[in-house]
Each structure stands twice: as structure tokens, then as C-alpha cells.
Amino acid sequence: QVLLVESGGGLVQPGGSLRLSCVASGISFSVGHMGWYRQSPGKERELVARIYSGGSSEIADSVKGRFAISSDNAVNTVFLQMNSLKPEDTADYYCSYHILIGGRWTVYWGQGTQVTVSS
């Protein structure tokens, strides 16, 4: 059974930093890839960053230069370091695991962690 548990969200002032963590169980980091998505009220869920088994990563243009994704495969954990936070970064942040099964992508989601950027 795949289980993704996020933590690290909270209230932070503009310009501040937060580090989100996602502990995964029931998966193999060597198969598939991990991602962070976010969704704010009235908007669609959007990709923030993803990291592949080889260590390469992608960052959305909207957060490039401010956010970074990393992983610690030894403890099956993916991190999202968020710096220089802006009010528009306020959203629920979701960890995801993507695996290709039978030629189709299957996606597992965590329960989400809320990030609020406000003074």
C-alpha cells in the first residue's frame, strides 16, 4: 500500500522560508518519480516540482530560483525547500508519486499540507 505523508506547512511572512517533507512508504524511489503540486481555492492543481530516480529535477517557472526539490532515498523522503515566499504561494501543497503501470501513469497523492504566506 502506497502512503505519502506531508508535513512542514504553516503560516509564514512574505520573504520567509519553509521546508516541506513527504515521507513515502510502499514505493521504490528507483521506479517512477516524485512530485510536489499545489492548489489554491478556485484554481486547478499545478505542478511545483518533480524529481526523478536518477536525481534530476524540474521546477515550475513560477517558483524557479526560490524553490528546490530534493530527496533522501535512504529514508524515502522528498523535500521541498521554499524560500522568498510570496502571498501567491499560498496553497495546499501535495506530494505525489507517479509510476508507469501497464503503459499508463498511476498517481498517488498525499493528504496535503497547507502553506499560508501572509503578514
Side-chain angles (χ1 to χ4, degrees):
Q1 181 182 357
V2 176
L3 184 63
L4 307 174
V5 180
E6 303 100 330
S7 62
L11 173 64
V12 62
Q13 292 186 344
S17 298
L18 282 175
R19 189 192 198 201
L20 305 184
S21 299
C22 172
V23 179
S25 58
I27 71 165
S28 170
F29 273 36
S30 63
V31 179
H33 64 270
M34 302 290 295
W36 283 100
Y37 287 72
R38 67 184 182 185
Q39 187 169 21
S40 51
K43 294 187 177 181
E44 293 188 357
R45 191 170 294 189
E46 62 174 356
L47 174 68
V48 177
R50 53 186 164 209
I51 187 165
Y52 297 92
S53 57
S56 62
S57 62
E58 297 176 15
I59 302 290
D61 288 343
S62 58
V63 302
K64 196 167 291 183
R66 300 188 296 121
F67 290 14
I69 188 171
S70 62
S71 66
D72 185 341
N73 293 2
V75 291
N76 275 15
T77 302
V78 176
F79 305 98
L80 184 68
Q81 179 66 44
M82 305 186 295
N83 300 324
S84 302
L85 282 160
K86 304 175 181 180
E88 52 262 44
D89 295 318
T90 295
D92 291 324
Y93 283 72
Y94 297 90
C95 176
S96 63
Y97 174 61
H98 306 248
I99 184 170
L100 195 60
I101 300 176
R104 299 182 65 179
W105 284 105
T106 297
V107 184
Y108 297 90
W109 298 97
Q111 83 287 351
T113 185
Q114 189 174 56
V115 172
T116 302
V117 184
S118 174
S119 55

